[in-house]
């Protein structure tokens, strides 16, 4: 629902002045002056609540409940729950306001969102676990080094932010310029991103599985433009990021402060107490100017695009600290005691192609990118017991740069299930295959997939995802099912869900996020276990309820 107001102004002189200021012919501005003087305003938004419950016991808490030699003292035994299954991991509320205005051809948008959470008993236990000042494993307690005390765990989740704040101006019939805090989407895939790399994502409070990408994509201050070229049946796009963003706006944000979505076995371990996110060094300076260009067109009923982007690597890598006796990357300054989390700049060349196949009665999409100088940590094996002598282990031997090829294949199809399942209409379904290949891969490089784990990176990492959405009662009840598999390493996820449209204002959703590790899960912090992608999600299965009041 939107609240709209319109005010008529007879100001052709001002329209002509604005047109001249933007370099437009005065005659053109005068032709459109009658409509350009309207002031319009619209306000919409939502109030939304989530509740999520653990579907599995949490090994980090179970380990802390064990007593005996080398484990917790009797004084602390029992303060952590052995049975955290069905504990509330999230009770969250958000209010979002979306304001649009237009005047004399200019468009304005402001989106603000307030997020607040209740500190559940489960979060209180993780916060106490953070304060113990010890590194733990899921089967025993091992004192390695203090991780310190930090601010409330709720600082991971409570926030207020202006999601968007921009002004857009037309320049003639073909050019549009937008400036301010905004989002750009240059990609086709849903779960994993080859070309949608302009922005990082905030994955700290709901890792990967919130349906609307725009809700967890991190906006940036950009100057962007679109130039329509109908003679070539296409559009040229470009953006410049002037370097006015905060360090927190750069790259992906994970729940590294020891919260519910930190990777197993690190829940309850505050990595921020011994590391720092550093955006103030050459090649990963938040103030550096970045940007990109894109051509998007259509030929023979096939949509395509070509793009180049200079941006920051999405996932952080560890820059080891000399304070801990390690070797920093290229002699750079490291602020953290153990290491800094950094996002070096990368260059991405990419292309997308999509079109309808009458033979398959489906839309086929292909997305490919070539990333130059993607950073990786090296040093497989446990910390202090590396597989390669001198490489430290746990990815803390240092940083190496490799070129990477990402390819996504996707097929979208409407399954006609009305006669079989009684659906209202054909069911939208999609299959995606996503592969990441390291160019000039050498096992001797000793690359790890992620720091703090000792697992060696493979040349290919391939993920298969598929989903279908069923529609009943004219889209008032919409069950869906999502599946994903790590084809090279094992493990995967399943998301059965049901979305409800109660009326024009109220919508709800119930879903289960279910993970399996395929036997590739780490049980020791800073150990050498062979944890792969879905090992990070081990024991993180959740039941989630969401209710939204739109206005």
């Amino acid at each position: 629902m939107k609240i709209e107001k319109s005010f008529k102004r007879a100001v052709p002189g001002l329209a002509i002045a604005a047109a001249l200021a933007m370099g437009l012919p005065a005659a053109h501005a005068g032709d459109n002056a009658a409509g350009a003087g309207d002031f319009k305003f619209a306000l919409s938004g939502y109030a939304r609540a989530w509740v999520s419950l653990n579907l599995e016991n949490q090994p980090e808490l179970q380990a802390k409940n064990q007593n005996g030699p080398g484990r917790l003292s009797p004084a602390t035994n029992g303060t952590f729950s052995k049975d955290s299954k069905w504990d509330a991991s999230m009770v969250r509320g958000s209010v979002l306001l979306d304001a649009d205005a237009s005047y004399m051809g200019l468009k304005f948008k402001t989106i603000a969102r307030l997020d607040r959470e209740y500190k559940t008993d489960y979060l209180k236990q993780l916060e106490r676990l953070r304060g113990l000042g010890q590194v733990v494993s899921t089967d025993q307690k091992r004192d390695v080094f203090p991780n310190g005390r930090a601010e409330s765990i709720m600082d991971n989740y409570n926030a207020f932010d202006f999601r968007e704040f921009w002004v857009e101006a037309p320049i003639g019939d073909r050019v549009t310029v937008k400036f301010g805090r905004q989002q750009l989407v240059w990609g086709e895939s849903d779960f994993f991103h080859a070309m949608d790399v302009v922005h990082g994502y905030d994955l700290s409070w709901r890792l990967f599985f919130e349906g609307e990408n725009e809700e967890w994509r991190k906006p940036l201050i950009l100057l962007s433009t679109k130039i329509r070229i109908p003679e070539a049946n296409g559009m040229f796009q470009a953006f410049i990021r002037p370097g006015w963003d905060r360090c927190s706006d750069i790259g992906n944000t994970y729940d590294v402060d020891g919260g519910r979505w930190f990777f197993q076995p690190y829940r309850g371990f505050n990595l921020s107490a011994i590391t720092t996110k550093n955006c103030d060094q050459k090649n990963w300076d938040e103030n550096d100017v970045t940007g990109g260009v894109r051509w998007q067109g259509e030929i023979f009923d096939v949509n395509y695009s070509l793009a180049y982007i200079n941006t920051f690597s999405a996932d952080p890598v560890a820059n080891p600290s000399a304070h801990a006796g390690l070797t920093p990357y290229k002699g750079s300054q490291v602020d953290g005691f153990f290491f800094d989390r950094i996002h070096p700049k990368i260059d991405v060349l990419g292309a997308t192609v999509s079109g309808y196949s009458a033979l398959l009665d489906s839309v086929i999409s292909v997305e490919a990118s070539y990333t130059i100088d993607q950073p990786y940590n090296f040093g497989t094996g446990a910390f202090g017991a590396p597989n390669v002598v001198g490489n430290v282990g746990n990815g803390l031997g240092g940083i190496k740069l490799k070129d990477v090829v990402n390819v996504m294949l996707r097929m979208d199809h409407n399954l006609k299930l009305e006669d079989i399942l009684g659906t209202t209409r054909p069911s939208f379904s999609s299959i995606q295959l996503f592969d990441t290949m390291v160019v000039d891969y050498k096992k001797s490089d000793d690359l790890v997939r992620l720091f703090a784990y000792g697992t060696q990176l493979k040349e290919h990492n391939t993920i298969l995802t598929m989903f279908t959405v069923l529609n009943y009662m004219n889209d008032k009840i919409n069950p869906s099912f999502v599946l994903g598999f790590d084809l090279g390493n094992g493990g995967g996820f399943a998301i059965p869900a049901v979305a409800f449209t109660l009326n024009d204002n109220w919508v709800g959703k119930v879903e289960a996020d279910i993970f399996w590790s395929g036997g590739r899960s780490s049980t020791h912090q800073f150990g050498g276990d062979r944890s792969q992608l879905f090992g990070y999600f081990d024991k993180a299965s959740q039941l989630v309820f969401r209710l939204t009041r739109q206005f």
Side-chain angles (χ1 to χ4, degrees), residues 48 56 63 83 86 106 200 315 423 450 521:
R48 181 171 291 164
E56 300 174 272
D83 301 315
W86 302 117
L106 299 177
D315 285 336
T423 54
L450 181 65
S521 176

Side-chain angles (χ1 to χ4, degrees), residues 126 130 147 150-153 155-157 202-205 207 252-263 266-277 315-317 339-343 450-453 525-526:
L126 292 182
R130 293 194 324 166
N147 69 343
E151 53 280 346
S152 170
I153 198 171
D155 292 342
N156 293 9
Y157 311 121
D202 182 1
L203 306 169
S204 60
W205 66 275
L207 187 56
N252 292 337
T253 299
Y254 293 96
D255 200 0
V256 298
D257 293 345
R260 59 177 172 260
W261 281 112
F262 205 179
F263 302 144
Y266 292 98
R267 292 168 204 133
F269 178 78
N270 185 12
L271 187 65
S272 294
I274 57 170
T275 70
T276 299
K277 182 171 181 175
D315 285 336
V317 290
F339 60 82
D340 281 351
R341 291 165 280 123
I342 64 173
H343 299 265
L450 181 65
F451 63 80
Y453 293 88
Q525 292 179 359
F526 301 98

Side-chain angles (χ1 to χ4, degrees), residues 26 29 47 64 75 101 160 162 204 208 212-213 297 333 343 357 500 519 537:
K64 283 297 184 183
F160 173 78
F162 282 97
S204 60
F208 284 119
E212 301 86 359
N213 283 349
Q333 178 180 331
H343 299 265
S357 168
F500 306 89
F537 294 86

Side-chain angles (χ1 to χ4, degrees), residues 124-382:
K124 290 177 183 178
Q125 292 185 75
L126 292 182
E127 188 170 60
R128 289 200 300 272
L129 190 57
R130 293 194 324 166
L132 289 179
Q134 296 156 332
V135 176
V136 302
S137 72
T138 54
D139 59 0
Q140 63 177 341
K141 180 178 78 65
R142 300 178 298 153
D143 293 331
V144 180
F145 51 80
N147 69 343
R149 294 183 179 272
E151 53 280 346
S152 170
I153 198 171
M154 302 309 291
D155 292 342
N156 293 9
Y157 311 121
N158 292 335
F160 173 78
D161 195 17
F162 282 97
R163 301 285 300 156
E164 299 192 32
F165 189 80
W166 52 258
V167 58
E168 182 180 82
I171 302 178
D173 293 330
R174 300 189 176 204
V175 180
T176 302
V177 176
K178 181 190 293 185
F179 177 73
R181 190 167 168 84
Q182 57 187 280
Q183 299 186 37
L184 289 181
V185 183
W186 287 3
E188 300 281 347
S189 55
D190 291 322
F191 290 100
F192 302 93
H193 308 114
M195 286 304 300
D196 191 8
V197 296
V198 176
H199 305 267
Y201 288 81
D202 182 1
L203 306 169
S204 60
W205 66 275
R206 182 93 199 282
L207 187 56
F208 284 119
F209 297 101
E210 194 67 10
E212 301 86 359
N213 283 349
E214 66 274 9
E215 293 288 353
W216 42 290
R217 188 182 292 111
K218 294 160 69 172
L220 297 170
I221 299 173
L222 306 173
L223 174 65
S224 62
T225 186
K226 297 179 181 179
I227 304 173
R228 288 163 286 278
I229 306 177
E231 295 86 353
N233 204 18
M235 178 170 61
F236 176 79
Q237 299 170 270
F239 77 92
I240 294 175
R241 177 190 160 274
W244 299 346
D245 301 290
R246 304 163 296 185
C247 182
S248 58
D249 296 324
I250 304 300
N252 292 337
T253 299
Y254 293 96
D255 200 0
V256 298
D257 293 345
R260 59 177 172 260
W261 281 112
F262 205 179
F263 302 144
Q264 186 182 317
Y266 292 98
R267 292 168 204 133
F269 178 78
N270 185 12
L271 187 65
S272 294
I274 57 170
T275 70
T276 299
K277 182 171 181 175
N278 189 324
C279 304
D280 195 26
Q281 294 284 304
K282 183 179 179 181
N283 201 41
W284 57 86
D285 191 332
E286 64 195 81
N287 298 317
D288 284 351
V289 176
T290 57
V293 294
R294 183 193 195 202
W295 171 260
Q296 186 177 20
E298 180 182 340
I299 185 170
F300 303 123
D301 295 324
V302 174
N303 297 306
Y304 70 96
S305 70
L306 302 169
Y308 163 75
I309 303 170
N310 175 248
T311 187
F312 295 91
S313 58
D315 285 336
V317 290
N319 187 21
S321 173
H323 302 301
L326 306 175
T327 305
Y329 180 61
K330 292 186 176 180
S332 56
Q333 178 180 331
V334 179
D335 296 333
F337 170 78
F338 203 41
F339 60 82
D340 281 351
R341 291 165 280 123
I342 64 173
H343 299 265
K345 286 190 293 185
I346 57 176
D347 294 297
V348 182
L349 301 167
T352 65
V353 178
S354 65
Y356 175 73
S357 168
L359 178 64
L360 299 174
D361 190 24
S362 303
V363 175
I364 307 298
S365 302
V366 180
E367 181 174 332
S369 67
Y370 188 96
T371 302
I372 301 171
D373 288 343
Q374 177 70 43
Y376 287 101
N377 285 120
F378 66 87
T380 61

